[in-house]
Amino acid sequence: MPDFIEQRRLARMIDRAAKQFDGLDPPERGWIASVRRALGMSADYVAKRKGVSRNAVYQAERSEKDGAVSLRQMEQLAAAMGGKFVYAIIPDGRIEDMKYKQAVAKATSLLTHEPDATSWSKEDREDWVDDKAAELLHDMPANFWEDTA
């Protein structure tokens, strides 16, 4: 598990990368076919540069659309077309926001196990959840990402 500073550095890097890809959807024909066509390259030419048959290029294009193309194939085809293949996991939000949301959910769940919590004022319960969420974010226990339900 990375240390706190390393986690923050990685979170910033991922958040910046995610902004670059925000709203980017793959072309309808897939990346291989779309880039090849945009460059005006025939499947024969790409196949020759990659050292495979034309049918292998068409098969890779079909496999990409089906979600079955390998990362290695994508890298090799991108290089054959004079480019590079980039892949990423794009989180649904900022890393710190996702962690905070989980910490609050986990703290809220833990509150139900706290003796006498039902007798506390609403503000006391909110303070307890806020403090527990901060503690969870600081300590990042091994079960942090387990479901809270």
Side-chain angles (χ1 to χ4, degrees), residues 99-109 129-130 133 136-137 144:
K99 288 168 53 178
Y100 179 74
K101 181 178 177 183
Q102 177 65 15
V104 169
K106 192 153 201 73
T108 301
S109 176
V129 167
D130 186 54
L136 290 165
L137 283 169
F144 182 81

Side-chain angles (χ1 to χ4, degrees), residues 1-101:
M1 182 73 157
D3 67 20
F4 177 73
I5 297 300
E6 177 71 2
Q7 270 188 355
R8 288 180 52 83
R9 187 188 69 73
L10 289 170
R12 284 192 302 270
M13 179 196 67
I14 291 166
D15 288 342
R16 284 187 207 114
K19 280 183 186 178
Q20 292 178 339
F21 291 102
D22 187 34
L24 179 66
D25 292 321
E28 186 178 322
R29 294 177 183 254
W31 290 107
I32 301 167
S34 297
V35 171
R36 181 178 64 74
R37 289 166 161 262
L39 290 169
M41 285 186 181
S42 67
D44 283 327
Y45 184 73
V46 174
K48 181 179 176 183
R49 289 183 78 176
K50 187 177 181 246
V52 297
S53 71
R54 173 185 63 194
N55 285 339
V57 172
Y58 288 137
Q59 179 59 44
E61 289 177 359
R62 284 190 298 277
S63 293
E64 180 191 3
K65 287 191 69 162
D66 295 338
V69 68
S70 73
L71 297 177
R72 183 178 307 271
Q73 276 184 302
M74 292 295 288
E75 289 170 348
Q76 291 171 346
L77 285 164
M81 292 184 286
K84 67 179 180 177
F85 174 65
V86 178
Y87 59 93
I89 297 173
I90 306 301
D92 289 334
R94 288 183 60 248
I95 296 289
E96 294 302 321
D97 294 342
M98 293 172 69
K99 288 168 53 178
Y100 179 74
K101 181 178 177 183

